[in-house]
Amino acid sequence: MAKSPGENGPRSPAAGGSLSGTRENLAPGPDAAATDELSSLGSDSEANGFAERRIDKFGFIVGAQGAEGALEEVPLEVLRQRESKWLDMLNNWDKWMAKKHKKIRLRCQKGIPPSLRGRAWQYLSGGKVKLQQNPGKFDELDMAPGDSKWLDVIERDLHRQFPFHEMFVSRGGHGQQDLFRVLKAYTLYRPEEGYCQAQAPIAAVLLMHMPAEQAFWCLVQICEKYLPGYYSEKLEAIQLDGEILFSLLQKVSPVAHKHLSRQKIDPLLYMTEWFMCAFARTLPWSSVLRVWDMFFCEGVKIIFRVGLVLLKHALGSPEKLKACQGQYETIERLRSLSPKIMQEAFLVQEVIELPVTERQIEREHLIQLRRWQETRGELQCCSPPRLHGAKAILEAEPGPRPTLQPSPSIRLPPDAPLPGSKSKSKPPKQIPKEPQKQEKASGQLDKTPTPGQAKMAIAGGDACPPQDVPPKDPVPQDPSPQDSAPQVSAHHCSQESLGSQESEDTYL
């Protein structure tokens, strides 16, 4: 998984339709022009003769990935309830993160509904905020020519990323085009880092769940906030985390720690691909998704916990060590883990219960950093401190942070007027009479706000404006830009009222 700007030097484009490092040459040929408007899920599979093969629910060609193991099937009714609760959270994300982060963590541990996983990852990682803060940045990077020393290496890696997934099965298909765009854009966004081969599977997993622009900003967050320094030139951060993992293993499984110490097996020999690819190329796919759900919410401690669980159950007893007498046998055991250990329900429960905290990880980080400086000198990679999960990323966001404005997930019928919007239907007679009575009774409307006006003033926060109190000023005849703001806020509040009642009753 070494970072390489071209092991054998830049190669010249070969004849016969080879990719040459430009987005145009990654586009399908003339024969595929008729399928440009189709999704990669259909056209890429059919172009390679896989149309007659069955595709599993994750998009992989059935039989190509080997035995997936027993999947944890969620009943449809439970899945719909989870979707409703996640919709409420996503439509009121800042409020939930500020006041009910523990609920978000518990729901991530249960698993994000597949229909909302991509959107939830964007919100958890802060990629959604990054996109809002940098409008048009990805398009600018996408149109730039790119650094030639990285383009050739990226091209060679495209076909290696999940070749049996219908999105990436076709050379030059839509999936590989988007993967090339995201990776090239990152080399331009962080030219001092360039490209690392381990970034390709990370970006590919993101592209399976979201468009290229959103995947790019999630990749940026992973590289800068979750795993900073992992993809730098000398891989110092991953070496440091290997020592942290080995030290934590002594507390979690002394038997496994003693065996690896006796065999003098460096952590880099078994944990590099685990950590740098976030287990995307190690675990069964259902387990990968569950691990990523927790990783985006709780940070790198999930990656440490997964690694410790695998080591503990692979090498943690004398019976299991009987077949691991030497280095080769031990490494092979860790490269071909038992399917039972990696099974979704078992692995997730073990990861949740493993007593390894952020504080312990940071304490070991300081210890190993001091040892590194004593033996090897100062780190050459000056990466920012990593942030442990969504809560830490939210709190550390510098500068003015825009409030997330989600796209409507629950749409009202076309004939239903939005609360607060202009409508031809006349309001009930009793509604305008109440403020008239208040005016007559008080006589000081300009000095003392009525309760209805006080509620409208509070509505600038998370609360919704009351629907039965009309605004103080009459609605102007000519529409103006100011007219749209109350309509938008009322529209979002109407969405909250549709989906939040059930989850509030359940979780509060």
Side-chain angles (χ1 to χ4, degrees):
M1 201 60 61
K3 183 183 181 69
S4 58
E7 300 88 323
N8 301 319
R11 75 181 161 123
S12 59
S18 176
L19 304 179
S20 68
T22 62
R23 182 181 171 191
E24 290 74 13
N25 288 344
L26 280 171
D31 294 338
T35 62
D36 282 346
E37 297 301 323
L38 299 178
S39 69
S40 61
L41 304 186
S43 59
D44 290 356
S45 299
E46 294 169 3
N48 287 266
F50 294 118
E52 69 279 4
R53 299 197 182 187
R54 291 190 302 117
I55 304 297
D56 68 12
K57 66 179 183 178
F58 301 118
F60 290 95
I61 300 168
V62 174
Q65 285 291 98
E68 272 284 319
L71 299 180
E72 184 182 13
E73 295 293 342
V74 180
L76 185 60
E77 181 180 355
V78 175
L79 184 61
R80 293 293 176 260
Q81 292 176 353
R82 291 182 181 177
E83 286 178 340
S84 175
K85 294 169 184 176
W86 270 94
L87 283 171
D88 174 51
M89 287 198 307
L90 294 173
N91 288 334
N92 304 276
W93 186 252
D94 291 329
K95 181 177 73 173
W96 276 84
M97 283 296 295
K99 301 178 180 178
K100 306 175 186 178
H101 179 257
K102 290 184 179 180
K103 294 296 182 185
I104 296 178
R105 185 183 64 195
L106 291 174
R107 292 179 182 179
C108 287
Q109 291 175 354
K110 291 181 180 179
I112 301 173
S115 61
L116 298 171
R117 180 167 274 128
R119 185 175 165 192
W121 286 358
Q122 295 175 51
Y123 278 62
L124 287 165
S125 66
K128 179 76 171 179
V129 174
K130 275 284 189 181
L131 190 151
Q132 292 182 352
Q133 292 176 340
N134 299 272
K137 181 65 175 179
F138 176 75
D139 293 333
E140 175 188 336
L141 299 171
D142 190 25
M143 299 304 295
D147 192 335
S148 59
K149 76 174 182 179
W150 298 121
L151 299 182
D152 183 73
V153 188
I154 293 174
E155 288 173 9
R156 289 205 302 267
D157 284 346
L158 293 178
H159 71 283
R160 302 171 183 168
Q161 313 311 321
F162 307 105
F164 297 108
H165 191 278
E166 56 181 351
M167 187 173 180
F168 302 103
V169 72
S170 174
R171 180 169 177 82
H174 297 287
Q176 289 195 12
Q177 288 184 56
D178 285 346
L179 182 58
F180 178 85
R181 294 169 59 201
V182 170
L183 296 175
K184 185 200 78 172
Y186 188 82
T187 64
L188 294 173
Y189 185 75
R190 287 287 180 262
E192 68 279 6
E193 289 188 16
Y195 167 69
C196 177
Q197 291 175 335
Q199 291 173 317
I202 295 287
V205 175
L206 294 172
L207 284 170
M208 294 178 193
H209 296 85
M210 63 191 76
E213 184 175 19
Q214 286 85 340
F216 168 75
W217 289 114
C218 283
L219 176 65
V220 168
Q221 292 295 92
I222 291 174
C223 296
E224 295 185 352
K225 304 292 176 63
Y226 288 87
L227 307 174
Y230 266 39
Y231 310 104
S232 59
E233 185 174 359
K234 297 192 176 182
L235 304 178
E236 292 177 324
I238 193 69
Q239 295 180 57
L240 200 60
D241 277 2
E243 298 300 329
I244 296 172
L245 176 71
F246 192 60
S247 179
L248 293 173
L249 180 64
Q250 187 173 13
K251 301 179 179 66
V252 172
S253 178
V255 174
H257 181 271
K258 183 178 180 180
H259 176 76
L260 292 171
S261 299
R262 187 188 307 118
Q263 298 292 341
K264 297 181 180 179
I265 298 177
D266 191 277
L268 289 180
L269 294 177
Y270 53 84
M271 57 80 64
T272 302
E273 186 175 83
W274 291 359
F275 277 48
M276 294 187 72
C277 299
F279 296 96
R281 301 176 71 171
T282 304
L283 301 174
W285 199 249
S286 59
S287 301
V288 170
L289 298 179
R290 294 291 301 279
V291 167
W292 278 47
D293 290 346
M294 296 185 291
F295 167 63
F296 276 117
C297 182
E298 301 180 58
V300 76
K301 75 177 179 184
I302 297 298
I303 304 297
F304 277 99
R305 286 182 180 180
V306 174
L308 292 169
V309 167
L310 297 182
L311 291 170
K312 173 184 175 182
H313 288 280
L315 306 172
S317 66
E319 293 77 14
K320 295 174 182 177
L321 294 179
K322 290 180 180 179
C324 302
Q325 298 300 321
Q327 283 189 0
Y328 177 79
E329 292 81 4
T330 302
I331 293 297
E332 284 301 308
R333 169 65 65 89
L334 295 178
R335 287 178 177 173
S336 55
L337 294 165
S338 168
K340 178 184 177 182
I341 301 175
M342 302 185 292
Q343 195 268 335
E344 175 187 353
F346 175 83
L347 179 64
V348 170
Q349 190 62 33
E350 288 288 315
V351 168
I352 293 174
E353 294 177 354
L354 195 70
V356 174
T357 64
E358 300 166 8
R359 180 174 295 182
Q360 288 176 311
I361 293 173
E362 288 306 312
R363 181 176 177 273
E364 286 297 332
H365 178 83
L366 294 176
I367 294 173
Q368 298 302 329
L369 182 60
R370 191 181 306 115
R371 291 179 181 175
W372 180 291
Q373 292 171 345
E374 292 173 355
T375 57
R376 310 187 195 183
E378 293 294 330
L379 289 171
Q380 297 184 14
C381 173
C382 299
S383 59
R386 63 177 159 216
L387 301 176
H388 290 272
K391 184 70 172 177
I393 292 174
L394 175 67
E395 294 173 350
E397 193 65 37
R401 184 179 182 279
T403 302
L404 293 177
Q405 297 294 336
S407 57
S409 299
I410 302 177
R411 299 184 181 277
L412 298 176
D415 55 344
L418 296 177
S421 63
K422 297 179 182 179
S423 175
K424 295 181 180 180
S425 59
K426 295 182 179 180
K429 294 181 180 180
Q430 66 274 17
I431 293 179
K433 288 183 178 181
E434 293 181 1
Q436 292 177 3
K437 292 180 180 179
Q438 293 174 1
E439 293 178 13
K440 293 179 181 179
S442 62
Q444 297 180 352
L445 185 60
D446 295 334
K447 297 182 179 179
T448 305
T450 64
Q453 292 170 333
K455 292 181 181 179
M456 289 297 290
I458 298 174
D462 293 328
C464 293
Q467 305 299 327
D468 57 346
V469 180
K472 174 184 173 182
D473 300 327
V475 179
Q477 297 297 326
D478 297 329
S480 62
Q482 288 78 7
D483 294 339
S484 61
Q487 297 177 14
V488 174
S489 62
H491 179 47
H492 289 305
C493 292
S494 66
Q495 296 171 13
E496 178 184 352
S497 63
L498 288 175
S500 62
Q501 187 62 45
E502 178 184 350
S503 59
E504 293 293 328
D505 295 340
T506 306
Y507 284 88
L508 291 182

